[in-house]
Amino acid sequence: MADEIKKPEGENPQPEQTPDAQSEQPEVTIDLAALAEGLKAQAEAAEKKAAEAKDTLLRTMAEYDNFRKRSAREQAASYSSGMAYAIEKLLPVLDTLEMAANAPTGDENYKKGVVMTLDKCAEVFKAMGVEEIPALGLPFDPAVHAAVMQQPGGDAKSGTVLQVFQKGYRLDGKVIRCASVIVAE
């Protein structure tokens, strides 16, 4: 008896199922058509959700690409504007050097130093993309010339630039300073 396991009292042992007990359980029927329809609806919902997520992702990628391009354009414009500003501030120095180079002087070394400085300045401006706006002898162009005076041109055709008071400059096609000119009547 020591080998037998005693069950605590009060526990009901599981009744053994008899063939009659099995027949009392309800019969389970599966409606395959309804199940297939439900799975089909779930699949369609999942596909719709995936398509919405893909659309959102594509829109986000396009927005980011546009942002990146816009930022690059703004950075280039800022750089160009900064260059134009710096060059505009240096132009009076260049004008003064040109006046000093053209002024009569008895000291040839002084004149040579001014001309060398002017040449260096021209080299740097050329390397930066700054170019002088041509004016003398050309027809007046209000986009790049500023007429400060009109005078009889003699043999020159009306509207022709007779004299340049102050040179004009442009950077990469953008006018930094218009050339101040005298125009023939």
Side-chain angles (χ1 to χ4, degrees), residues 20-94:
D20 288 339
Q22 287 179 351
S23 62
E24 290 177 13
Q25 292 181 349
E27 215 174 284
V28 178
T29 58
I30 299 174
D31 186 2
L32 292 177
L35 181 62
E37 193 65 33
L39 291 174
K40 186 177 178 182
Q42 285 179 349
E44 287 174 357
E47 285 177 4
K48 184 178 177 184
K49 211 173 189 181
E52 289 173 359
K54 181 179 179 182
D55 184 53
T56 301
L57 179 62
L58 289 174
R59 287 179 190 274
T60 303
M61 285 174 49
E63 286 176 15
Y64 176 73
D65 192 44
N66 290 339
F67 170 75
R68 186 181 50 79
K69 289 176 182 176
R70 185 176 58 249
S71 294
R73 280 192 308 268
E74 288 172 355
Q75 182 181 10
S78 293
Y79 178 78
S80 180
S81 294
M83 288 282 292
Y85 177 78
I87 291 166
E88 185 178 3
K89 296 300 178 189
L90 288 172
L91 288 179
V93 175
L94 184 64

Side-chain angles (χ1 to χ4, degrees), residues 117-184:
T117 305
L118 194 57
D119 290 344
K120 279 287 187 193
C121 224
E123 285 177 29
V124 170
F125 275 21
K126 186 176 180 180
M128 293 169 63
V130 178
E131 60 184 20
E132 184 180 326
I133 296 173
L136 191 60
L138 297 175
F140 176 76
D141 180 0
V144 293
H145 302 138
V148 294
M149 209 163 111
Q150 271 191 324
Q151 69 183 30
D155 295 340
K157 185 178 170 186
S158 177
T160 302
V161 175
L162 298 175
Q163 184 179 350
V164 178
F165 274 135
Q166 188 177 46
K167 292 180 181 179
Y169 295 91
R170 64 179 138 214
L171 172 66
D172 299 326
K174 179 185 171 190
V175 175
I176 296 172
R177 181 176 77 185
C178 291
S180 297
V181 296
I182 294 176
V183 182

